[in-house]
Amino acid sequence: SPECDKLAWFLMTSANLSKAAWGGFEKKGTQLKIRSYEIGVLFLPQDQEPPLEYFSTPATLSSGSNSHSLLPIPINLPLTGYSKDDKPWLWNDHYLKADSKGNIWTPS
């Protein structure tokens, strides 16, 4: 919904936007080569027990919705854009400042 309080479906996936996942044409465009495969699970409210009309988000629960219809998702709604100070995490960069679990990252 436009208010981000009802979900008609939810797709949980490992899909990414890499060339390996999407594939690329080889052999003069006659063969599609895919180097990695992704998996996903589609959750539909009507397939739940009992069947639901929609999944709720935490915003819906604050307005008195049924907690059984809550689909917990690990993101904040509505979505917020990146700021100019945000930096992407890169696997081959060193991170010497400890994270929230006290870990640092120093790839070899």
Side-chain angles (χ1 to χ4, degrees), residues 23-102:
F25 285 103
E26 295 182 347
K27 298 186 178 183
K28 298 182 182 178
T30 62
Q31 178 179 326
L32 177 63
K33 174 86 173 198
I34 300 174
R35 291 177 173 79
S36 90
Y37 292 88
E38 308 297 333
I39 190 166
V41 178
L42 177 63
F43 293 90
L44 298 172
Q46 63 268 26
D47 292 339
Q48 305 306 303
E49 190 57 48
L52 304 169
E53 185 178 339
Y54 58 85
F55 288 120
S56 299
T57 65
T60 311
L61 291 179
S62 62
S63 64
S65 178
N66 182 347
S67 64
H68 296 304
S69 64
L70 177 66
L71 180 66
I73 52 176
I75 57 173
N76 295 324
L77 295 173
L79 299 175
T80 56
Y82 291 108
S83 76
K84 63 180 177 69
D85 297 324
D86 288 330
K87 295 179 181 159
W89 187 91
L90 302 171
W91 73 271
N92 59 344
D93 276 358
H94 291 263
Y95 298 92
L96 301 177
K97 182 180 176 187
D99 64 16
S100 62
K101 304 285 185 188

